[in-house]
Amino acid sequence: MEESEPLLGEERRLNGHCRWTTHALDTKAVENFRRKLKYFFMNPCEKYRARGRKPWKLMLQILKIVLITAQLVSFGLSNEMMATFKEDNLMTFRHLFLKGYKDHQQGSFALYTKTEVYEHIYYIIDRYMNLQNLTLGNLAYEMDEDDYTPLSICQRFYKNVTIDPGRDTFDIDPQIDKDCISINPEPSLDSSLETKLNFSLDFKRLLSVNITFTLKTINLQTVRHHELPDCYGFHVMIIFDNHAHSGKINIMVDNDVSIYECRDWNVAGNSSKTDYLLLLFDFVVILACFASFILCTRSVIRGIQLQFEFNIFFHAYYSKIVTWSDRMEFVNGWYIFIIISDILTITGSMLKVGIQTKFLTSYDVCSILLGTATMLVWIGVIRYLGFFKKYNVLILTLRAAFPNVIRFCCCATMIYLGYCFCGWIVLGPYHDKFRTLDKVTECLFSLINGDDMFGTFLRMRDKSYMVWLFSRLYLYTFISLFIYMVLSLFIALITDTYETIKQNQKDTEPESLLQAFIAECRDQPESGRFQTDEEPLTCCGSLWECFKRN
């Protein structure tokens, strides 16, 4: 008798420890194990027909899609109002404190003379002093106990600089000093700011002038959406940047925002009731995701256990080693997908509860977590479409093409990075799209997709002949290589995989050892043969014990 044939009617020893008895090697036991595997790989509808077991995970996932999407829409509206309010206030600060600022101004706001710098600094101070008479919004000064927090003007400069460009000489001490003055918003400070401040700048040593102050306001627009208004603190920073010492001082306006619960508030209506309902809804989402996490984790663990049983069975019964591809079929990747989504949703929902109760203000982190979780949940819907053979082509194609796509992308990335570094160092001084490394990567990726090609060529026409010639050679070779070759090969790789999948779907032969073993079970879900859990093959008590001993 050959080794691959089962030994019926006698004992079979495995490594001198574990014995497969006649009962274990009985044909009926093998069929029961085969039926057990077939039931494991059934979809929820087939399992319902086989044992009448309701597809709780399927119904829970459908419920999760509704709950998580509704939660995201609710948070998205609140996040949208917050982001709009912050952007509008930042634009307001630019118009209030930058002299001559215009909307949609091209490039940075810059100054070129000493007189302009002094005028803008005094202009900012004057506007800050008269803020209450100028602004259309509900802006107010920040209070520190009984006093207003002051406006601070800090200049940073080299400790000592002696420079004479005409004679090509300089003497510099690169140590940086800082000098600050504070101005309280007092109405007694009139237009004669120059004489009262005693403020001067040494432009040869000057690196930057930073003007900072804090303003407070309340976002009232949330009331229309049945949410409590938030109190905002804007730490405004106006920076005069002179690090380049090129005769051009750039002015930038930025702000750090703190959001917190207002001290004393009263809203007529049922806003507080609405807040409690939103918090209750968030807790329902957390519970649903936690239940999904438990069910999917249990399914993954059962799959891993069954994978060990299958591996030990084939090793002992057929003397065959199960390949990793067959063993990984027991680990359902969609369950891993759902588990990650559940973790992100639970974490994001907890942050959302903290934001609604004004305990946290991590809008960005919460947005990333909830947005990614919702994306994964909706992508997971494809799994249920995959139960129908005509709808699972995308899933099969992505799964089959993924290894080849990764290898192909690694090779293409090497060429892409080479062009990025070359373009940055050669064309960077002459073309603003190649000025920094991140701009180079964005520009080249846009060129691959056919975006703004002519504009990229056009901006290199007025440069030196050598740079112009190199830019043409660089751009023509890159576009030809990546659009006509790399991109075409990438599409062909996906297309070939798709054709292979279509051809495999026409074939009736199983693709793997596992599928061939399961295919021998001809029992249909409606046959009633799956109504009871069959006893697993036993070996010295259990397959797990056999596995440990071997």
Side-chain angles (χ1 to χ4, degrees):
M1 181 178 296
E2 297 180 358
E3 293 184 358
S4 60
E5 295 180 358
L7 297 176
L8 299 178
E10 62 181 43
E11 294 183 346
R12 180 176 180 180
R13 184 176 299 273
L14 183 60
N15 290 340
H17 296 288
C18 189
R19 296 180 178 180
W20 289 89
T21 63
T22 304
H23 174 73
L25 298 178
D26 188 89
T27 304
K28 181 181 178 181
V30 175
E31 288 298 324
N32 291 340
F33 187 61
R34 184 181 284 115
R35 193 177 298 113
K36 179 179 179 180
L37 291 175
K38 184 173 183 178
Y39 178 79
F40 177 80
F41 287 101
M42 287 182 181
N43 61 52
C45 298
E46 291 174 340
K47 288 183 178 179
Y48 177 74
R49 294 197 302 268
R51 292 187 181 178
R53 181 176 296 177
K54 295 180 176 58
W56 296 112
K57 287 197 293 291
L58 174 60
M59 292 188 289
L60 184 58
Q61 299 308 317
I62 296 175
L63 177 63
K64 269 179 50 185
I65 292 174
V66 177
L67 294 177
I68 293 177
T69 304
Q71 182 193 46
L72 185 74
V73 171
S74 174
F75 180 75
L77 294 175
S78 177
N79 195 26
E80 179 183 347
M81 288 186 293
M82 180 273 301
T84 303
F85 188 73
K86 289 169 58 176
E87 291 178 359
D88 290 346
N89 275 274
L90 180 59
M91 184 59 66
T92 298
F93 298 147
R94 288 171 178 163
H95 279 275
L96 281 176
F97 300 109
L98 295 186
K99 186 177 181 180
Y101 183 83
K102 303 294 182 182
D103 284 334
H104 309 295
Q105 187 165 355
Q106 296 294 330
S108 59
F109 192 86
L111 305 177
Y112 299 92
T113 64
K114 297 179 180 179
T115 304
E116 288 180 334
V117 174
Y118 281 113
E119 287 180 352
H120 276 76
I121 292 176
Y122 294 132
Y123 180 83
I124 292 170
I125 299 173
D126 180 67
R127 304 287 276 194
Y128 178 74
M129 297 300 170
N130 298 281
L131 181 66
Q132 300 294 339
N133 300 325
L134 295 173
T135 180
L136 298 174
N138 299 316
L139 294 173
Y141 303 118
E142 184 185 42
M143 295 289 294
D144 185 8
E145 294 182 354
D146 296 331
D147 298 327
Y148 294 121
T149 56
L151 175 145
S152 175
I153 304 177
C154 295
Q155 55 173 315
R156 299 172 67 252
F157 48 86
Y158 291 122
K159 187 172 183 179
N160 184 28
V161 170
T162 301
I163 182 171
D164 188 353
R167 296 183 179 181
D168 300 328
T169 61
F170 68 90
D171 182 14
I172 182 172
D173 184 353
Q175 183 178 347
I176 297 175
D177 287 342
K178 185 177 182 181
D179 184 22
C180 297
I181 61 173
S182 299
I183 303 173
N184 291 312
E186 300 173 356
S188 60
L189 195 61
D190 54 17
S191 58
S192 58
L193 295 173
E194 295 87 343
T195 58
K196 293 190 175 185
L197 292 180
N198 191 22
F199 178 76
S200 62
L201 300 173
D202 185 354
F203 289 94
K204 290 185 178 180
R205 295 191 297 158
L206 182 66
L207 291 174
S208 66
V209 178
N210 300 337
I211 301 177
T212 59
F213 52 89
T214 302
L215 299 175
K216 301 179 69 175
T217 186
I218 300 176
N219 185 7
L220 296 177
Q221 63 177 330
T222 56
V223 176
R224 295 184 290 107
H225 297 274
H226 306 288
E227 295 183 19
L228 288 178
D230 295 320
C231 286
Y232 286 70
F234 290 97
H235 185 68
V236 184
M237 297 164 286
I238 304 176
I239 303 172
F240 294 72
D241 187 7
N242 191 42
H243 283 80
H245 285 86
S246 60
K248 174 185 176 182
I249 295 182
N250 294 314
I251 303 181
M252 295 167 287
V253 180
D254 200 359
N255 60 356
D256 289 333
V257 184
S258 58
I259 306 173
Y260 49 88
E261 184 179 9
C262 299
R263 296 180 181 177
D264 187 13
W265 55 268
N266 182 25
V267 180
N270 59 350
S271 295
S272 59
K273 181 179 178 180
T274 304
D275 285 341
Y276 290 132
L277 292 177
L278 289 175
L279 292 176
L280 179 61
F281 180 77
D282 290 330
F283 283 115
V284 170
V285 174
I286 292 175
L287 290 176
C289 292
F290 185 74
S292 173
F293 174 82
I294 296 298
L295 292 176
C296 293
T297 303
R298 187 187 66 172
S299 298
V300 171
I301 294 175
R302 286 183 174 179
I304 294 175
Q305 291 176 343
L306 189 58
Q307 176 254 125
F308 278 112
E309 290 185 22
F310 178 74
N311 183 45
I312 295 172
F313 168 77
F314 257 78
H315 179 66
Y317 190 68
Y318 292 108
S319 297
K320 292 183 179 180
I321 299 177
V322 181
T323 62
W324 274 104
S325 60
D326 284 340
R327 298 178 67 173
M328 291 305 296
E329 288 192 36
F330 288 91
V331 182
N332 195 324
W334 289 110
Y335 289 150
I336 306 297
F337 209 69
I338 295 172
I339 290 173
I340 296 174
S341 173
D342 291 334
I343 295 174
L344 294 177
T345 304
I346 292 172
T347 308
S349 298
M350 295 174 65
L351 287 178
K352 183 175 180 290
V353 171
I355 291 173
Q356 288 182 212
T357 56
K358 313 306 176 188
F359 183 73
L360 299 173
T361 58
S362 306
Y363 275 91
D364 293 336
V365 178
C366 184
S367 300
I368 293 174
L369 293 175
L370 291 182
T372 305
T374 307
M375 178 185 68
L376 296 180
V377 167
W378 278 97
I379 293 177
V381 177
I382 302 177
R383 172 177 180 260
Y384 305 113
L385 295 178
F387 295 153
F388 308 96
K389 291 185 177 180
K390 294 184 179 180
Y391 292 91
N392 67 344
V393 177
L394 176 61
I395 302 174
L396 296 176
T397 303
L398 291 176
R399 185 171 64 180
F402 185 75
N404 293 330
V405 167
I406 293 298
R407 287 190 286 267
F408 181 84
C409 289
C410 289
C411 296
T413 301
M414 300 299 104
I415 305 175
Y416 185 80
L417 289 177
Y419 271 91
C420 287
F421 288 116
C422 179
W424 175 43
I425 197 66
V426 178
L427 303 182
Y430 304 96
H431 201 305
D432 57 353
K433 289 186 177 181
F434 294 83
R435 192 62 47 83
T436 60
L437 191 58
D438 59 329
K439 288 185 177 180
V440 176
T441 57
E442 295 168 0
C443 176
L444 294 183
F445 188 77
S446 299
L447 290 176
I448 293 176
N449 293 276
D451 182 33
D452 199 23
M453 286 190 181
F454 181 72
T456 306
F457 278 97
L458 186 63
R459 295 192 184 185
M460 294 300 299
R461 284 189 175 180
D462 298 331
K463 310 305 176 184
S464 66
Y465 179 75
M466 181 178 296
V467 176
W468 175 86
L469 185 61
F470 179 85
S471 68
R472 264 43 188 175
L473 180 64
Y474 174 87
L475 293 174
Y476 279 127
T477 54
F478 176 81
I479 293 173
S480 301
L481 178 63
F482 274 86
I483 292 183
Y484 304 136
M485 295 181 63
V486 175
L487 193 59
S488 298
L489 289 174
F490 184 83
I491 296 174
L493 187 65
I494 304 296
T495 305
D496 290 344
T497 305
Y498 173 72
E499 294 297 333
T500 304
I501 294 297
K502 287 182 61 178
Q503 184 63 35
N504 289 341
Q505 285 185 333
K506 297 178 181 179
D507 300 334
T508 57
E509 297 181 359
E511 300 178 359
S512 64
L513 180 66
L514 172 63
Q515 295 174 1
F517 182 74
I518 297 176
E520 295 183 19
C521 179
R522 306 299 181 182
D523 299 330
Q524 298 301 318
E526 301 85 356
S527 63
R529 303 293 298 276
F530 300 90
Q531 292 295 329
T532 57
D533 291 326
E534 304 292 348
E535 295 183 0
L537 295 174
T538 58
C539 171
C540 303
S542 68
L543 281 173
W544 281 103
E545 185 178 347
C546 184
F547 173 75
K548 292 177 182 178
R549 292 189 178 184
N550 286 277

